[in-house]
Structure formats: C-alpha cells, structure tokens
Amino acid sequence: MKILVTGFDPFGSEKINPALEAVKKLPTQISGAKIITLEIPTVFNEVGPIIQQAIQTYQPDLVLNVGQAGGRFNITVEKVAINLADARIADNQGNQPLDEVIFDDGPTAYFTQLPVKAIVSALNENEIPAAVSYTAGTFVCNYVMYYVQHLISTRYPKIKGGFIHVPYIPAQVVTKPNQPAMNLEDIVKGLELAITTMVTYNGLEDIKTIGGTEH
Amino acid sequence: MKILVTGFDPFGSEKINPALEAVKKLPTQISGAKIITLEIPTVFNEVGPIIQQAIQTYQPDLVLNVGQAGGRFNITVEKVAINLADARIADNQGNQPLDEVIFDDGPTAYFTQLPVKAIVSALNENEIPAAVSYTAGTFVCNYVMYYVQHLISTRYPKIKGGFIHVPYIPAQVVTKPNQPAMNLEDIVKGLELAITTMVTYNGLEDIKTIGGTEH
Amino acid sequence: MKILVTGFDPFGSEKINPALEAVKKLPTQISGAKIITLEIPTVFNEVGPIIQQAIQTYQPDLVLNVGQAGGRFNITVEKVAINLADARIADNQGNQPLDEVIFDDGPTAYFTQLPVKAIVSALNENEIPAAVSYTAGTFVCNYVMYYVQHLISTRYPKIKGGFIHVPYIPAQVVTKPNQPAMNLEDIVKGLELAITTMVTYNGLEDIKTIGGTEH
Amino acid sequence: MKILVTGFDPFGSEKINPALEAVKKLPTQISGAKIITLEIPTVFNEVGPIIQQAIQTYQPDLVLNVGQAGGRFNITVEKVAINLADARIADNQGNQPLDEVIFDDGPTAYFTQLPVKAIVSALNENEIPAAVSYTAGTFVCNYVMYYVQHLISTRYPKIKGGFIHVPYIPAQVVTKPNQPAMNLEDIVKGLELAITTMVTYNGLEDIKTIGGTEH
C-alpha cells in the first residue's frame, strides 16, 4: 500500500505550518505502507494540479492531506468536503475567492473514504485528543480535500482520500492568549496512528460506536 | 410571501429550547411576509413527515428551521446540510442513529437557498453577533435541514429552505461554567432581522463581502 | 442607606464601556437604598481622588465600583483587591504603571465587605449567570477597588466597598469572533439584584453554600 | 542553592496529577541548584505540616509548589496567595472548607518572592506558553501557597516561596471536549526553565517588561 501525505506551507501570519512540520517527520514506512510526503502550496488553483501530478507520479492507494486549523483543541478528521471556495484571507499568491464553486460540474459535497471514527478512536485510546469534524472550512484545506475527492470520483476510483486538521503547536500560541495547542511530537504520533488505522481498515467498514453531534 | 418557521422542543438534559422560545415570540407578519410558526419534535423520522405535512397545509414560500446549538457564541446561519444521521445522544423518542444516511437516494449534501452572508451582515450591523456556519452537526437539526432540502429538490422546487442555530440563553448556562449565552430578546430580534433579509433578498443573489474561513 | 455606584469610561480600543452604560440605567432607588451614580475615568491616579471626593460629598454607606472584564462569560463579583498596578495597556491618560504598589503603606490585599456568595446566588436564581472572582486584574479596576478599600481601612471604617465586573455586551463582540457577551438589560438587572442583596445583607454574614474553586 | 519542589497527588475525578508527574521527572540538579522533590497530599490541614517538616529536614532556599489547574491553557506562575480556604469539591480526605481563613492571624494575602515575569518571559522565549496568574484559586493549591508564605513570614525569612500551576496533559482531556492540554515533556521543560530563572534571579529584582492585565 502506498500513501501520499501532503502538508501545506505556512499561510496567513504564521511562520510555520504544524501540518507540514508533522508530515516532514513521518517515517517512510508505517504499518507496512510506503509513505510519500509532499509539501504543497497554500494556493487555490495551484494546489490541485500539483496533487494530480503527484498522483500520476506516485500512483498512491490513498491521499491524505494534512492542514492547520488554528483554534481547534484536537486533531480533527474531516468527514466531508464541500464545493465552495470562500476565503477570509488571501492565500499565498494573493487569491481570495469569494463564494465560488470549486468544480462547476461537481456535487455539493463528498464524504471521505477514510474510517473517521476508527481513526479518532485509535488516537483517543492512545491519549491523543481527536474528534471527527464535519467542516473543513472554505479555504484551501477544504479546497484540496474536495479537489482530491473530485479526482477520485471522476478519474481514480480506486484511490481513497481524506483530510486531517491539526491544532497550533505551542510555539505558535506563545503570543496568542488562551489559544489551544498540541505538541508537535503528539501530532506526529497522531498522524502515524491515523495512518496505521487507515492501513488496518483498508477494505473494512468504519466502526459505528459513539455518534457525532448533539445539535 | 409565506414563511414557515419551526422550533424544536427541548432535548438532551435541557428543560427549554431557546429556538422554540424565540420562534414562539415571532410576530405573525415580518416585512410583509406572513409568518407561520410550528413546534416540531426533536425526533428523527417523526420530524420529516410533520414538516412535509405542514408544507402541504400552509404552502409556504420558505421553510426556516431554527435549532439550539449549545456552546456556540453567535447566531449561526447554516450553509450546508449533509446526508448523515449520527447522534451522540438519544433523541426525544430514544432513537440514536449511528452513521446512517438520511435518504438512500439523496446526494451527499445540499446548500441552503438562503442568502447566508446577507443575513449575517444584517444581524451584525444591528449588533446581533452572527456568523455563517458550515456544519449543522449530525443530529436532528442537520436531519431536518437535509430533509427539507430533499423535499425541495424532489417535490417542491419553488420553495426555499434554511436553518438557523441559536445559542443557549442565560437561564441555561447559570449552572454551566464558562458557556456562552445570548439573551432571548436578542435571539428573537436576530430571527426577525434574518427573516426581513430573506424577504428583501427574495429573488436576489447573496452578497459576497468577506469570505468564510481561513483553514 | 446610600450607595455610590461608579462606572468607568471606555478604555483600550472600545468605544463604549458596558459597566458605565449599565450604571447609567440604574434607578435612583433600589430596595429602599438611594443610588448615586458616578462616571469615573479609566486613569490611574486620577480615579482615587475623584472617588474620595465623592465619598466626602455623598457620604455613602457603600461604594460599588463596576468595570468591564472583556472575555469573561459571567457577571463576576470580586472578592479581593491587591496592592499592585501593572498595566498591559495604557490608561486613558497614557499611564502604564509596571509592577508598582498602589499604596506604599498598604497591605498586600483587601477582601471586599460585600456578601459575594449571596450576590452570586441571587443573580443565578434569577437566571443571570454570575460567579465569584478572585482576581480583579492589575489594571484600573483592581486599582480603584484597592483604593476604596484602603480609604475604608484608613479613614472611613463604616463604609463597605466592593467591585463587580461585567462582560462585553453584544455590540462589542460583533467584530470579535467567539467572545462571550451579555445583554445590557441583563447586566442592569444583575446589578440591581446585586444591590438588593447588599441591602438585604447589610449587617449580616455572607452565606456559605458551595465553595469557590477546585485548584 | 537547594530547592524543594512539591507536586500534589491526583484529586477530584482525575487519576493522575500532571503537576506530580512533571515534578517526578525533574533532574536532581538544575543550573547548579540541588532539586529535592516531594509528593504532597491534596488535603487541607495535612499538607501544611508536611511542608513544614520538609523545610526542617531539607533546609531549602526556595520552596516551589506545583499544582494542576485544569482548564488553563498555559503554565501559570502565581503572583499572590490569599487567606481563604473555600472548596468547590472535597479534598482527598473529604474536607470541604467553606469560606474559612487559613491562618487567623495571617494577612489577607502574600505576594510570592519569585520573579514571576522573568519566569514567564523565559518560558515564552523557549516556546512554552506561560503567563502570570493573579489567582491560585481557593482550594488546596492556594492553601499550600499561602501556608508556605506564612511560614516564610513568621519563621523562615530567608526562604523564598512560589507556586506554578500546570494545565491538563493530553491523556486527561481525551474524554473532555474542547479542553486545553499541554504535553508532559513541555511541562517538565517549563518547570526546568522556571527553576533556572529562579536560580539566575536569586537576589535580583524581577523584570518589568509588559504589564499584567487590562481590566
């Protein structure tokens, strides 16, 4: 099994992106799966073709995109990507799409193929705070998650795709009062556990266990 | 113009539902639109047919469902409903669906027909904290939002549908340390402003203005 | 019984101070007590003599200072004032004391004479979220609380003094994502209930009930 | 220089106390100072004599008590201890003092002898989120901080005393949604940096730098 794991470069006012830092620290092999890591730019339009090129080059079985969600307390595994690009801040090339569709002919949303509950459960059992998330936002994170799903839907039906958001690391919140953070090593450990779970559940259904939300 | 506005009965450990309390206080006419209010049960399966029956009876031009999102700071206007029922707690009849689809033949998600940014903008200009939300959760709130959208998509193409989540009111957080709340009168005022905006924007496109998220 | 209630003018980047707005809306009589309200400047050094002059002029039985604590969820009744002026931002005259004592000959701290638990209990029973606080900060709020206590200790032993912090009101948080707020009318109601409790408990001990913190 | 560092045993519903876990991991020597660590019980009344006995036995130059403050985002260095025991929950022997003084003949409060700003500054420079705190609560943490200060004031004038609160570690928040946590290794690193700063500033004044609060 081959897994392509991407991390975004820093964006907004941040000098580092914990997603990228964590992805760089992944080993080249996890639970027997070959891990290919790739830095991708936080740029609408650019990021899609780059991912597609990487899929062509590496022929992965699974594409896992990892991004930063500053302000979240936990590692969050995204369930759904929506066909909407709507940016509060400019991306790294100054693009700021407002209320645009990502693909004109795409559906409103895609669910991930990842076993999101099994992943969250594995992390929590190993003392890494994690949760399922039902929104990947409307910035480049959701964009790339949707883009990969659209590629899967239209061209690469055998590939699985998914997105994991990681919190700030402590270095980023020293100057931000009362913002949650997670240690980089814990994020790396969380990603490794998540990938192990993806390998284990390859071909299997997700667990049911506890439900999602109460509103 | 006729608008059907629903509010859920209390659920979980709550004795009141601020959504229902606010809906009950709406006037029968807002900006020239006739307002029909309806209490609906926080029960998967039951709530759909009840809404459909009300649509048949009242022939509204717009269906606005209002629900409680305890823990949120603002009135949030939902952009998207997903085809997923996944309950952390039992509903008011003891149902607790886990990872179920709402309609087997439904798409992964629907976007609302409401001008979500114009609504948020109108509320904020009037000093009611509000924001667009990209997840209505996976409990009965998302269920009814999706259900209405599916009815619109399959049977009532001229109707518009949307969902607004409201925070706890102060009475609910007295025993919950550090939980945000919003005064009931402010919630009512927010709903009235939201409905006024829906009437004003009937047939018009939403504003673009500032974008959604930055992750 | 005569009660002097002060409210600070706006400071920092705020255009209004909810404490002042609420104090202005107090009736001239509460539970038989005469209420004298006074706007005071958010200025170290200036505020002390102004309060002392007002005490001389009005001869109050109780001095209640009210201030804004942006970011707090509840109305908080302060238990203690400390002999420390240490300002993160400049006051309204540009003063920014760092790590200074307020009175060279003053003790490290004073406890309020107010029945803080009875006040919190009265507010919560009336559905106004409230809590006891054990820090009034180190800016002008704590300064004036300490100053009044020092006056009481050294010159006016029959007067009681206390401080209540109020949250932002909704108008202030519209542009601040995820900040708690409380409706101004609820703040006014809370202050009235607090003053009623002060009148009721005049000469009585505070209730014990539930304790303060768990760390 | 000899430093006695204490950590409390777990209390409330927690199975571990991150303060104790971190203290156990401290080296026996930091920046030339000898470190003596001691587990102390989260029990009013018991903890004071135990500390006093340890002071007699080890003759430390500095006593640093470390405790858990669940819900805080940062390592917080306490500035002040107050003469108040007021417990929201029972301690580990079932004691739950309500609104009691700690020492009848004690002053309202003591300031720590620690250079709190220099410590916070050192941690933040090393990417450990930290802040000065102006309340150690009213449970056993504040109790022991006050107790040590009272011992210093009445019997051991050459000793310095201080208290540091540490957040939950990730293992504790896995089942608590949206609660901040800090990695244990980061807490240990933070304590080591704090102690290094105490050694460096032995005999020196604290830095002034940025002020405390803005309310």
Side-chain angles (χ1 to χ4, degrees):
Chain A
M1 193 172 174
K2 231 184 302 176
I3 302 180
L4 174 64
V5 187
T6 73
F8 284 106
D9 58 0
F11 62 91
S13 51
E14 298 298 325
K15 285 176 187 156
I16 58 170
N17 189 322
L20 178 59
E21 299 308 314
V23 166
K24 279 181 189 167
K25 284 173 172 278
L26 290 175
T28 55
Q29 190 117 350
I30 297 177
S31 296
K34 181 171 166 55
I35 306 301
I36 301 143
T37 61
L38 182 68
E39 177 173 342
I40 57 177
T42 303
V43 180
F44 290 104
N45 307 322
E46 283 185 23
V47 71
I50 288 170
I51 294 267
Q52 187 170 2
Q53 182 57 54
I55 289 174
Q56 290 288 49
T57 305
Y58 301 113
Q59 306 277 332
D61 302 289
L62 196 154
V63 178
L64 173 65
N65 305 114
V66 185
Q68 164 192 293
R72 291 197 184 169
F73 290 76
N74 298 345
I75 290 181
T76 45
V77 188
E78 299 295 344
K79 177 69 180 177
V80 60
I82 60 176
N83 193 5
L84 180 65
D86 198 28
R88 193 196 305 276
I89 58 171
D91 71 16
N92 288 348
Q93 288 294 348
N95 308 306
Q96 191 175 4
L98 290 174
D99 220 355
E100 296 181 7
V101 294
I102 298 173
F103 281 101
D104 281 334
D105 61 341
T108 302
Y110 289 107
F111 285 134
T112 182
Q113 291 80 24
L114 296 188
V116 294
K117 289 185 180 183
I119 293 169
V120 165
S121 181
L123 267 66
N124 284 343
E125 276 165 27
N126 286 277
E127 307 189 337
I128 308 287
V132 179
S133 164
Y134 300 96
T135 174
T138 59
F139 195 54
V140 189
C141 288
N142 172 73
Y143 180 91
V144 79
M145 182 181 176
Y146 186 92
Y147 201 103
V148 169
Q149 289 296 330
H150 198 61
L151 287 177
I152 291 171
S153 173
T154 56
R155 300 199 184 192
Y156 309 100
K158 290 182 180 166
I159 294 181
K160 297 179 177 191
F163 197 101
I164 291 180
H165 264 122
V166 303
Y168 286 134
I169 58 172
Q172 295 177 283
V173 302
V174 157
T175 54
K176 301 183 184 87
N178 290 340
Q179 280 285 351
M182 186 178 285
N183 179 284
L184 183 59
E185 297 307 323
D186 288 340
I187 294 176
V188 173
K189 187 178 160 200
L191 292 181
E192 291 190 50
L193 286 162
I195 291 169
T196 292
T197 311
M198 293 171 208
V199 173
T200 308
Y201 275 76
N202 198 19
L204 300 180
E205 281 213 351
D206 194 4
I207 58 174
K208 299 247 180 209
T209 67
I210 192 70
T213 74
E214 62 185 66
H215 63 254
Chain B
M1 191 171 177
K2 231 184 302 176
I3 303 179
L4 174 64
V5 187
T6 73
F8 285 105
D9 59 0
F11 62 91
S13 52
E14 299 297 325
K15 286 177 187 155
I16 58 172
N17 189 322
L20 179 60
E21 299 307 313
V23 166
K24 280 180 187 167
K25 283 173 171 277
L26 290 176
T28 55
Q29 190 119 353
I30 297 177
S31 296
K34 182 171 167 54
I35 306 302
I36 301 143
T37 61
L38 182 68
E39 177 174 342
I40 56 176
T42 303
V43 180
F44 289 104
N45 307 323
E46 283 186 21
V47 71
I50 287 171
I51 294 267
Q52 188 170 3
Q53 182 57 53
I55 289 173
Q56 291 286 49
T57 305
Y58 300 114
Q59 306 277 330
D61 302 290
L62 195 153
V63 178
L64 174 64
N65 306 114
V66 186
Q68 165 192 293
R72 290 196 185 169
F73 289 76
N74 299 345
I75 291 181
T76 44
V77 188
E78 298 296 343
K79 176 71 179 177
V80 61
I82 60 175
N83 193 6
L84 180 65
D86 198 28
R88 193 195 304 277
I89 58 172
D91 71 16
N92 288 348
Q93 289 293 349
N95 308 305
Q96 191 175 5
L98 290 174
D99 219 356
E100 295 182 6
V101 294
I102 298 173
F103 282 101
D104 280 335
D105 62 341
T108 302
Y110 288 108
F111 286 134
T112 182
Q113 291 80 26
L114 296 188
V116 295
K117 289 185 179 182
I119 293 169
V120 166
S121 181
L123 267 66
N124 284 344
E125 277 165 25
N126 286 277
E127 307 189 338
I128 307 288
V132 179
S133 164
Y134 300 96
T135 173
T138 59
F139 194 54
V140 190
C141 288
N142 172 73
Y143 180 92
V144 79
M145 182 180 175
Y146 187 92
Y147 200 103
V148 169
Q149 288 297 330
H150 198 62
L151 287 178
I152 290 171
S153 174
T154 55
R155 298 198 185 194
Y156 309 101
K158 290 182 180 166
I159 294 181
K160 296 178 177 192
F163 197 101
I164 291 180
H165 264 122
V166 304
Y168 286 134
I169 59 173
Q172 296 177 282
V173 302
V174 157
T175 54
K176 300 182 184 86
N178 289 341
Q179 280 285 352
M182 187 179 285
N183 180 282
L184 183 59
E185 297 306 322
D186 289 341
I187 294 176
V188 173
K189 188 178 160 199
L191 292 182
E192 292 191 49
L193 286 163
I195 291 169
T196 292
T197 310
M198 293 171 208
V199 173
T200 308
Y201 276 76
N202 197 19
L204 299 180
E205 282 212 350
D206 194 5
I207 58 175
K208 299 245 181 209
T209 67
I210 191 71
T213 73
E214 61 185 67
H215 63 254
Chain C
M1 193 173 175
K2 231 184 302 176
I3 302 180
L4 174 64
V5 187
T6 73
F8 285 106
D9 58 359
F11 61 91
S13 52
E14 298 297 325
K15 285 175 187 156
I16 58 171
N17 189 321
L20 179 59
E21 300 307 314
V23 167
K24 280 181 187 167
K25 283 173 172 278
L26 289 176
T28 55
Q29 191 118 352
I30 296 176
S31 296
K34 182 171 165 56
I35 305 302
I36 301 143
T37 61
L38 182 68
E39 177 174 342
I40 57 176
T42 304
V43 180
F44 290 104
N45 307 323
E46 284 185 22
V47 72
I50 288 171
I51 294 265
Q52 187 171 3
Q53 182 58 53
I55 289 173
Q56 291 286 49
T57 304
Y58 301 114
Q59 305 277 331
D61 302 289
L62 195 154
V63 177
L64 174 63
N65 305 114
V66 186
Q68 164 192 293
R72 290 197 185 167
F73 290 76
N74 298 346
I75 290 180
T76 44
V77 188
E78 298 296 343
K79 176 71 180 177
V80 59
I82 60 176
N83 193 6
L84 180 65
D86 198 28
R88 192 196 305 277
I89 58 172
D91 71 15
N92 289 348
Q93 288 294 349
N95 307 306
Q96 190 173 5
L98 291 174
D99 219 357
E100 295 182 7
V101 294
I102 297 173
F103 281 101
D104 280 334
D105 61 341
T108 302
Y110 289 107
F111 286 134
T112 181
Q113 292 80 25
L114 297 189
V116 295
K117 289 185 180 182
I119 294 169
V120 165
S121 182
L123 267 65
N124 284 344
E125 276 165 26
N126 286 277
E127 307 189 337
I128 307 287
V132 179
S133 164
Y134 300 96
T135 174
T138 59
F139 195 54
V140 189
C141 288
N142 172 73
Y143 180 90
V144 80
M145 182 180 176
Y146 187 92
Y147 201 103
V148 169
Q149 289 297 330
H150 197 62
L151 288 177
I152 291 171
S153 174
T154 56
R155 300 197 183 192
Y156 309 101
K158 291 182 180 166
I159 295 182
K160 297 180 177 191
F163 198 102
I164 291 181
H165 265 122
V166 303
Y168 286 135
I169 58 172
Q172 295 177 283
V173 301
V174 157
T175 53
K176 301 183 185 86
N178 290 340
Q179 279 286 351
M182 186 178 284
N183 179 282
L184 182 59
E185 297 306 322
D186 288 341
I187 294 176
V188 173
K189 189 178 159 201
L191 292 183
E192 291 190 50
L193 286 163
I195 291 168
T196 292
T197 310
M198 293 171 208
V199 174
T200 308
Y201 276 76
N202 198 19
L204 300 179
E205 282 214 349
D206 193 4
I207 58 176
K208 299 248 179 207
T209 68
I210 191 70
T213 73
E214 61 184 67
H215 63 253
Chain D
M1 192 172 176
K2 231 185 299 176
I3 302 179
L4 173 64
V5 187
T6 73
F8 285 106
D9 58 0
F11 62 90
S13 51
E14 298 298 325
K15 285 175 188 157
I16 58 172
N17 189 321
L20 179 59
E21 299 308 313
V23 166
K24 279 180 188 167
K25 284 174 172 275
L26 289 176
T28 55
Q29 190 119 353
I30 296 177
S31 296
K34 180 171 167 55
I35 306 301
I36 301 143
T37 62
L38 181 69
E39 177 174 342
I40 57 176
T42 303
V43 180
F44 289 104
N45 307 324
E46 284 186 21
V47 70
I50 288 170
I51 294 267
Q52 188 171 2
Q53 182 58 53
I55 289 173
Q56 291 286 49
T57 305
Y58 301 113
Q59 305 278 330
D61 303 290
L62 195 154
V63 178
L64 173 64
N65 306 113
V66 186
Q68 165 192 293
R72 291 196 184 168
F73 290 75
N74 298 345
I75 290 181
T76 44
V77 188
E78 299 296 343
K79 176 70 179 177
V80 61
I82 60 176
N83 193 5
L84 181 65
D86 198 28
R88 192 195 306 277
I89 58 171
D91 71 15
N92 288 348
Q93 288 294 348
N95 308 305
Q96 190 175 5
L98 290 174
D99 219 356
E100 296 182 7
V101 295
I102 298 173
F103 282 99
D104 281 334
D105 61 341
T108 302
Y110 289 107
F111 286 133
T112 182
Q113 290 80 26
L114 297 188
V116 294
K117 289 186 179 183
I119 293 169
V120 165
S121 181
L123 267 64
N124 284 343
E125 276 165 26
N126 286 277
E127 306 190 336
I128 307 287
V132 179
S133 164
Y134 301 95
T135 174
T138 59
F139 195 53
V140 190
C141 288
N142 172 73
Y143 180 91
V144 79
M145 182 180 175
Y146 187 92
Y147 201 103
V148 169
Q149 289 296 330
H150 198 63
L151 288 177
I152 291 171
S153 173
T154 55
R155 299 198 186 193
Y156 309 100
K158 289 182 180 166
I159 294 183
K160 297 180 177 188
F163 197 101
I164 291 180
H165 264 122
V166 303
Y168 286 135
I169 58 172
Q172 296 178 282
V173 302
V174 157
T175 54
K176 301 182 184 86
N178 290 341
Q179 281 284 353
M182 188 179 284
N183 179 283
L184 183 59
E185 296 307 323
D186 288 340
I187 294 176
V188 173
K189 188 178 160 199
L191 292 182
E192 292 190 50
L193 286 162
I195 291 168
T196 292
T197 311
M198 293 170 208
V199 174
T200 307
Y201 276 76
N202 197 18
L204 299 180
E205 282 213 350
D206 194 5
I207 58 175
K208 298 249 180 206
T209 67
I210 191 70
T213 73
E214 60 184 68
H215 62 254

